[in-house]
Every structure is written in structure tokens, then in C-alpha cells.
Amino acid sequence: MGQAIEIINLDIRGMTCAGCVNSVEKALGGVRGVDLAEVNFAMNRASVHYDSEITNPSSLESAVEAAGFEAQRLRDTDDAPEPSEQSEQEYLKLCSKLWLALGFSIPLVLLAMGPMLGIHLPFWISSEVQPLRYGLIQLVLTLPVLWAGRDFYSKGFSTFLHRNPNMDTLVAMGTAAAVGFSLWNMFGEKLDAGGFYFETAAVIIALILLGKSLEAKSRSRASEAISSLLKLRPKEAILVNEDKESSITIDLVHPGDVLRIRPGSIVPADGIVVEGSSFVDESMLTGEPVPVEKTAGKSGACGAKVTGGTLNTSGVLTIRVRRVGGESTLARIIRLVENTQLTKTPLARMADQVAGVFVPVVLVIAALTGVWWWFSGAPANEILSYTVAVLVIACPCALGLATPIAIMVGTGIGAQHGILFQNAQALEAAHRLDILILDKTGTLTEGHPQVTQILVVEGQKSAEVLQFAAAVEQGSEHPLGRAVVAEAKKQKLELPEILEFEAQTGYGVKAVCTGHMASEHSTVFVGNPALMRAENIFIEVPETLETQIPPGITPIFVAIDGKLAGAICLADEARQESSEAVRKFLDLGLEVVMLTGDRQSSAQAVAAKTGISKIHAGVLPEDKSKIVMKYQSKGFRVGMIGDGVNDAPALAQADVGIAMGSGTDVAMETADMVLMKNDLRHVADALRLSRATLQNIRQNLFWAFGYNVVGIPIAAGLLVPFGGPALHPMIAAGAMALSSVSVVSNALRLRGFSFSGGDEIVKNPIKKEC
């Protein structure tokens, strides 16, 4: 029996640093049946791949709780709380603790350090006159601060007992040592007011709470993009049944239902317009700022598609629902973004591995620091100062946040502009590409070819050739086939009945039709020259027919009953933005290659207009992936841009497969990157976003590693013998608090990323697929 692998997302509570991430991943990975467990510190989420025949969600939750954390299963997208709201709630809780800590830390510092600050204390609390009373007052002021930081102790010592020490452990041990040493000097054999370090413990807790508060606020801002998508989820809809309207919750909407959407209302589900006309604001999904016209189809044609979560701005629309709930475009976009943010790049895995051993190493360094200064003959208060400084300056949080927070911001703003990454690996791979291979039809060109001319052999009529070609192409989804059908409808031709239909991928189509001359049934082939040669039809072709086809035109040949009847010439204009997009690719240092099944002259015409110098023409669909492999075998990292359907093998073979075209079903499954807008310039934006995100990650990691590598030795006092400064524990705590904030703040700079793709395209052509 094979594995029944399922994926579950868990909301993890109680993580405070990257060490916690490693602990949770170990706990989940240790459960029998778990195939993969990835934990995101920035989102407080875990994604677990497990065999449902061996284990279950309850066992996974129990494993997390046994490691000292809390876990709650997220059953679907609607269950998931908005990340920004979670961070905002955490921020408010931390603020209440911070104000409590500051309220008692400030008078405690004034009391303890008053003489050094030139403040004369009353004789009845003077350290010289009343040392015990002086110490007791400090202790009383310290207790509320310790209560404000109680989570450091409960979590820190709990994880220590579970042999998974984390940042809380370092803070708890450092402050506990300061308080313990103070109590020893206050109640020991010899009362020593100079040995009170209550204010040190209090200020450390207050500063770390300050840093945590700022970090939570910054994380809230970092997750605003995904939260804005979650807020688009509709709650209600207006159901139309027998011309009567009724308001229902979105849970009661099913495919096939007819809904009415008034101006200013959110489109409740994916559907097709069956009545009315309006302009719909799709900026929240595609980044397109100009509302797009949506109308019902005319003369039996299908209406325009609308997407759930978009905003109806003007007229009243009536739609027939196609997809709802988890199958809707919005839900799939949210899943893609969340999955990308949950997956890890190799850089993130490396950082997590370091963080996994970071805290134990710091504990050893702190112990060695104390021993070294003890053997050096330093007094007890100096030994304590150096040891506590080492404990509190170390910051595993910065390591844990460096990668996920940058990915969260980068993928979030990408999603807001219609750029979706399948996973974090795709985001990382996109910045290293050497070559971009572009499909021609629908990518470089408009994808809406039009018939320009019909050539016929002697004895044939152009209308009859078009009739039979259109009849056969009715069952085809190819843009050329749809153009032939559209031309026949335009000329109001009556199409023969189709008895059989067979599509031959990369060649054309074949069908049996009725009504040609004396023959009751006629076999009709419509396709490229390769199809004609395969059927031995070109043996009787006049040499002059192919020479009549103008340069830059795409022909499809029509054969009836084994004899060539004619050729239909079609033109597909290059997109206006294609040449600009190609120039941007070249500016990024990429080599651009065109790949097409069309003939050489048609490919060269488009290449000349777009600025592409390298062409592979006449390529069959099954050979496209071989060309990708050919470039890869030479050591190039290849990106492939296509429509996600006909190019699926090539998209899968490429290092990064990029699908154009409003997020088709196949594209979202096969491509590494999906663009919701048919605009090549946004591919350049996506590649620049990938580079900016990876650069931001490297900056974060450099700061996180550099801070700890430099800060810990200074805190240990290694520079003191050489005349260097000694670092007070309070300064060490402040540096530690600011380190993680600086990492998050640097990641937030990605929110200012400039998207240069065009936004002037307004019209949305009516789709032909219902």
C-alpha cells in the first residue's frame, strides 16, 4: 500500500527565536509518519507533510506541546487568522507588559544610580545609612518588572528542561543571575549594597520587551500584504432565483448559482457575466489600477469572467458562479502566497541549523567567560557583569527572522501586483537565471490571430475551405483554430456536421464531416505542413501554393479527402509591450530566446519587431522541453515563459517555469511563477523582485551573523586586557533588542520596491470558454 501523504498547517504559539523553530521542527520530524516539517518563525506557522495511515493531526499537536509549545490545527484558509492581526494583538500585549516594566524600571534606575547621576537620596534610603532598606526597596521595585517578564522564565526554563534552550533561556538565566547575586549580597553573611544588581535585571527585561514590541509592530506591517488578500474574502452574496433576490452567506453559494452584484459590492465568487455591463476593479489581485470592462456575451458568446474578491465599481452585473470556496482564484492565490512563505530556501535552512546550536554554544561561552575571569582574579561583580552581558547580547531572533521576514514582504507585495511564486525555492532560483526562453503565440504576440487571406488550389472555393476548416476547428482550443471559427461566423457560413474529431498535438486536427460534393462523409485535415506530410498529402500539392504565403504570416493547411484544398493565412500581431519587455530582459543581463512551433518566416517577423536575435522555429510541443534541456546541459540556468497549458513539459523542465495568463488552473499547478496579467514587463518586475529579496536576505544574514560574531566577544570582555571597553549588561540588552528590529526594518524596505510594468491596458476581451 502506498503512502497517503497529506499536508496540514499548524498555528504555533510560544516561539521566541530561531532556536524554537529548530525545536518544533525536531519535535514534528520525530513523529513516525512525518515526511517533512517546515516552521516559519515570522508567521508562527508550521507546514507538515505526513502519512495519514501512520499518524494524525492530534499526534502532531501533542508532539509540539511535549516540546514546550502550543499548536492548533488550521483546517482551511478561512480558519487562518490574519497575520497582521496576530502580530497586532501580540504587539498590544507586549506594550502592556512594557509599560509595567518601564513604570518600575525608571524609578529603580534613579534609585540605584542616583549618586552617579548627581541625585542625592534621602538619608532613610541611603545605601550608606540604610543598606538593607535600600536593597529591599529595590527588590520591591524589581518584582513587578519580573512579573512583566514572567514569560521569559516560564518558557526559558521549560525549554531548558526539554533540552531545547532558546532566547528566553538566555534572558531568564542572565536576569536570574543578577537578581540572585543581589539577594546573596543583601541577605548573606556580609551586607554589601555595592553588590545590588536589581536595576540591571529590570532594565534588561524592559529593553528586551521594548525590542519585542517594536519587532511585533514591524512584523504586523510586513504581513499586511497577505492580510489584505485575506480581507478580500467575501462574506455574503445576493442569490437570484426566479427573478427574486435573497441575501445568503458565501457558504451557501454553489457552482451554477446566479448572483447579482450591485455597484460598490465585492464580487462574491468566480463566475461569468450573463447579464449587465460594468467596470470591475481588479487591482487587489493583479495590481492593475484601471477598472476593467466586464460585459455579457452577445449572440450566444460567453460573457467576461469575473473573479471573487474584486470590486464592482459602476453597473449592475449578474453572474453564473463557476468556482467558490477553496477552488476560487482568490483562495488559490492565498494558498500560493502562504505556501511560499512557509517553504524555506537553502539560506534559511542554513540559518536555522546555526540557530539550532546557537543557544547551547552561548551558554558554554558564558560559562567559559565566568571561569576565565575567575582565574584572572576578577572580583565577583565583574565576573557577573561579563557573564550576564554574554547571555543577553546573544540574539538568535535576528538569525531566525533574517530570511522568512524578507520572503514574507517580497512575496506579499508581489502577490499584490499579480506576481505569484509557487515556493521559496522558485523565488531564489529566479534571481540566478541566465537565459529566458519565450513562447511566441500568446506570450510575445497578442494571442488573438485573425484570418488575413484564404489561398485555394484550382477547383476549390475559399468559402468552402473555410467552412470545413471551421467545422473541424470547433473542437480545438488552439488560438489559430478559434480564429478560423471566428472568421466563419463573421461570414455567417453554415458549418458541416462533425462526426469524429481527433486532435494531434503539435500538428493539427482531423475530423469526419458531411456534405462535400458527392461524398457523404469527408475526412478533413487542418494543420501545419508536418501534418500534411505525415498524411502524404503534399505529394499532390502545387509548388506555387506555399510560395503565395506572405512573409510573417502563419498558414494552416486544409486537406479534404486526402487532397490539399487550400491554406488559411493568419496574422498574430506582436504585443505593444513585448519589445520593451525584451529590452528589460537584456538590461538584466539575460539572453532571450524565442521558441515556437510556427514557421521560420513568421518567427523572424515577430523577432524583428521585439528585438530577439535567437530563434527556434518549427518546434513540436514535445521537443520544447528538449531545447530547454540542451541549454541546461551547457550549464545555463533557464527560465521558460509560456501559457501554462501547451508548454507544460517545457515549464516543468526549466529551472523556473513562468506561466502567463490570469492564473490558469494548469499554470498554477505546473509553473514555478504565475503572472495574473498578460504583460511580459511584469516578468522583468518579478525577476527584479527576486533579486531584491535575495539581496535583502543576504543583508539580514550578514547583520545577524556579524552582530553576534562581534558582539559576543566584546560582551565577554576579550578587549579589556588590550585597553578595550567593557560592555555593561544593560547596553548589551539594548543592542540585543535592536538587532532583531533592525533585521525586520531592513526587510520592510522591500515595500518600497518599484514595479515598472505597464498599467495602461484597460479592455478585457470576452473569453470563449464557459
Side-chain angles (χ1 to χ4, degrees):
M1 186 178 293
Q3 288 185 322
I5 298 296
E6 293 188 14
I7 302 175
I8 184 176
N9 289 335
L10 299 174
D11 187 40
I12 308 296
R13 296 293 180 175
M15 295 193 300
T16 57
C17 68
C20 301
V21 171
N22 191 62
S23 300
V24 175
E25 287 185 345
K26 280 184 179 179
L28 289 169
V31 177
R32 183 171 170 268
V34 170
D35 186 57
L36 175 68
E38 291 186 314
V39 178
N40 186 299
F41 176 45
M43 295 178 67
N44 290 318
R45 298 277 175 84
S47 178
V48 187
H49 299 233
Y50 69 99
D51 189 339
S52 59
E53 296 181 357
I54 298 177
T55 190
N56 55 65
S58 298
S59 299
L60 300 176
E61 291 174 357
S62 299
V64 174
E65 291 168 2
F69 305 91
E70 299 176 13
Q72 181 179 357
R73 181 182 182 183
L74 299 175
R75 298 185 184 277
D76 54 43
T77 304
D78 291 335
D79 281 346
E82 295 179 13
S84 63
E85 287 187 3
Q86 282 183 300
S87 297
E88 191 67 24
Q89 291 171 4
E90 182 184 354
Y91 169 71
L92 294 175
K93 290 179 181 177
L94 286 168
C95 279
S96 63
K97 295 177 181 178
L98 172 62
W99 289 119
L100 175 61
L102 287 176
F104 286 89
S105 294
I106 292 173
L108 179 57
V109 170
L110 292 176
L111 178 64
M113 305 182 71
M116 289 188 293
L117 299 174
I119 301 174
H120 298 286
L121 301 175
F123 77 94
W124 52 274
I125 57 171
S126 171
S127 59
E128 292 85 4
V129 179
Q130 296 289 342
L132 181 59
R133 184 180 296 172
Y134 175 74
L136 288 173
I137 293 174
Q138 287 195 34
L139 177 60
V140 169
L141 291 172
T142 304
L143 291 176
V145 181
L146 296 178
W147 175 254
R150 60 191 180 278
D151 287 344
F152 295 132
Y153 300 99
S154 60
K155 295 176 182 177
F157 290 122
S158 174
T159 54
F160 183 79
L161 294 175
H162 284 92
R163 292 183 296 179
N164 293 314
N166 61 7
M167 185 210 74
D168 292 331
T169 307
L170 299 178
V171 175
M173 294 185 71
T175 54
V179 172
F181 186 74
S182 302
L183 292 173
W184 172 263
N185 282 319
M186 186 164 61
F187 297 111
E189 294 182 2
K190 183 180 179 181
L191 180 61
D192 181 9
F196 294 164
Y197 284 87
F198 292 114
E199 82 285 355
T200 299
V203 171
I204 287 173
I205 291 174
L207 286 173
I208 293 176
L209 285 173
L210 173 62
K212 286 288 182 184
S213 301
L214 295 174
E215 178 189 320
K217 188 64 176 177
S218 299
R219 285 165 65 175
S220 175
R221 293 178 61 198
S223 58
E224 283 177 357
I226 184 66
S227 294
S228 66
L229 289 174
L230 291 169
K231 288 176 181 176
L232 295 177
R233 296 176 296 189
K235 301 294 188 294
E236 294 183 343
I238 298 176
L239 179 68
V240 179
N241 187 14
E242 297 181 353
D243 294 329
K244 294 181 180 179
E245 296 182 0
S246 56
S247 181
I248 60 174
T249 62
I250 196 66
D251 297 336
L252 300 178
V253 176
H254 301 284
D257 286 347
V258 177
L259 306 178
R260 186 150 292 152
I261 311 164
R262 293 194 171 88
S265 299
I266 297 292
V267 177
D270 293 358
I272 294 176
V273 178
V274 296
E275 183 181 324
S277 175
S278 181
F279 283 85
V280 175
D281 182 359
E282 297 181 332
S283 61
M284 59 285 293
L285 295 181
T286 66
E288 176 72 60
V290 182
V292 181
E293 185 180 9
K294 303 288 183 178
T295 61
K298 297 179 181 179
S299 304
C302 297
K305 291 181 180 180
V306 292
T307 304
T310 54
L311 177 66
N312 182 27
T313 63
S314 52
V316 177
L317 292 175
T318 303
I319 69 168
R320 180 178 292 108
V321 176
R322 297 175 63 241
R323 289 189 296 242
V324 293
E327 297 302 315
S328 67
T329 300
L330 177 60
R332 289 183 296 160
I333 289 173
I334 292 172
R335 278 200 300 272
L336 269 180
V337 176
E338 288 184 334
N339 289 339
T340 301
Q341 294 178 350
L342 279 171
T343 55
K344 295 185 178 181
T345 65
L347 281 174
R349 295 184 189 282
M350 180 268 291
D352 285 348
Q353 288 174 353
V354 172
V357 297
F358 182 82
V359 174
V361 169
V362 170
L363 291 173
V364 171
I365 292 174
L368 292 175
T369 298
V371 172
W372 184 64
W373 282 107
W374 183 74
F375 277 110
S376 299
N381 60 337
E382 286 188 17
I383 296 174
L384 175 71
S385 179
Y386 290 129
T387 304
V388 172
V390 170
L391 291 172
V392 298
I393 199 172
C395 187
C397 293
L399 287 172
L401 285 170
T403 299
I405 201 72
I407 290 176
M408 178 187 290
V409 178
T411 57
I413 62 170
Q416 287 182 318
H417 287 81
I419 299 170
L420 306 173
F421 294 92
Q422 193 72 250
N423 48 49
Q425 290 86 347
L427 176 68
E428 183 174 19
H431 91 286
R432 297 178 301 179
L433 295 179
D434 303 308
I435 292 177
L436 267 185
I437 298 178
L438 287 75
D439 181 51
K440 180 178 77 71
T441 304
T443 302
L444 283 164
T445 65
E446 293 287 353
H448 304 294
Q450 294 182 340
V451 175
T452 60
Q453 187 179 6
I454 299 175
L455 303 174
V456 296
V457 299
E458 187 176 350
Q460 297 287 347
K461 298 178 181 179
S462 60
E464 193 172 60
V465 169
L466 180 60
Q467 272 181 302
F468 278 91
V472 174
E473 291 286 9
Q474 283 184 106
S476 172
E477 288 297 321
H478 198 282
L480 297 178
R482 291 200 296 266
V484 171
V485 174
E487 181 65 21
K489 289 184 177 180
K490 181 180 176 181
Q491 296 186 21
K492 299 181 180 180
L493 299 177
E494 184 178 349
L495 304 184
E497 182 183 351
I498 299 175
L499 299 181
E500 298 176 21
F501 175 83
E502 179 186 345
Q504 300 182 26
T505 304
Y507 293 91
V509 291
K510 167 189 175 184
V512 176
C513 303
T514 60
H516 179 60
M517 302 224 176
S519 175
E520 185 176 348
H521 297 92
S522 298
T523 301
V524 181
F525 291 92
V526 182
N528 57 21
L531 175 64
M532 300 297 132
R533 283 191 290 269
E535 299 295 333
N536 293 322
I537 292 171
F538 266 173
I539 294 174
E540 301 181 25
V541 176
E543 295 289 337
T544 56
L545 183 61
E546 198 163 8
T547 61
Q548 296 178 44
I549 300 171
I553 292 296
T554 300
I556 56 174
F557 294 92
V558 183
I560 304 174
D561 291 330
K563 295 182 179 180
L564 186 71
I568 300 176
C569 301
L570 300 102
D572 189 9
E573 292 297 322
R575 293 178 181 273
Q576 292 182 355
E577 70 273 9
S578 291
S579 58
E580 181 185 349
V582 170
R583 178 179 55 78
K584 289 184 176 183
F585 297 151
L586 296 174
D587 290 343
L588 288 172
L590 299 169
E591 183 177 351
V592 183
V593 178
M594 181 196 295
L595 192 61
T596 179
D598 212 341
R599 65 179 192 155
Q600 185 73 22
S601 62
S602 300
Q604 286 176 336
V606 175
K609 292 179 181 179
T610 57
I612 297 176
S613 57
K614 201 160 191 176
I615 303 170
H616 294 275
V619 182
L620 297 175
E622 60 266 26
D623 293 331
K624 290 183 178 181
S625 60
K626 294 179 182 178
I627 291 178
V628 174
M629 292 174 63
K630 180 181 177 181
Y631 282 106
Q632 289 174 326
S633 65
K634 296 178 180 179
F636 294 111
R637 287 162 293 200
V638 181
M640 172 72 194
I641 308 176
D643 58 16
V645 181
N646 297 329
D647 309 303
L651 289 173
Q653 176 61 43
D655 295 280
V656 179
I658 305 170
M660 301 276 295
S662 301
T664 62
D665 292 343
V666 176
M668 284 194 170
E669 296 297 329
T670 61
D672 300 301
M673 187 192 304
V674 178
L675 301 187
M676 300 299 290
K677 282 198 283 189
N678 266 323
D679 190 332
L680 268 178
R681 289 172 295 188
H682 288 274
V683 176
D685 285 339
L687 298 178
R688 289 194 304 109
L689 178 61
S690 170
R691 294 183 181 187
T693 303
L694 267 294
Q695 182 181 13
N696 192 279
I697 289 173
R698 292 191 187 97
Q699 291 169 349
N700 286 346
L701 288 173
F702 177 81
W703 165 253
F705 279 109
Y707 161 82
N708 285 290
V709 168
V710 174
I712 291 175
I714 294 176
L718 294 185
L719 299 182
V720 173
F722 306 99
L727 201 63
H728 194 280
M730 288 190 285
I731 297 176
M736 184 267 207
L738 291 175
S739 62
S740 56
V741 175
S742 63
V743 165
V744 179
S745 299
N746 185 52
L748 287 174
R749 292 192 307 111
L750 285 171
R751 297 176 68 192
F753 180 85
S754 174
F755 290 85
S756 59
D759 292 315
E760 67 279 2
I761 301 171
V762 180
K763 289 282 186 177
N764 183 29
I766 294 176
K767 303 293 183 181
K768 296 298 181 184
E769 56 203 48
C770 290

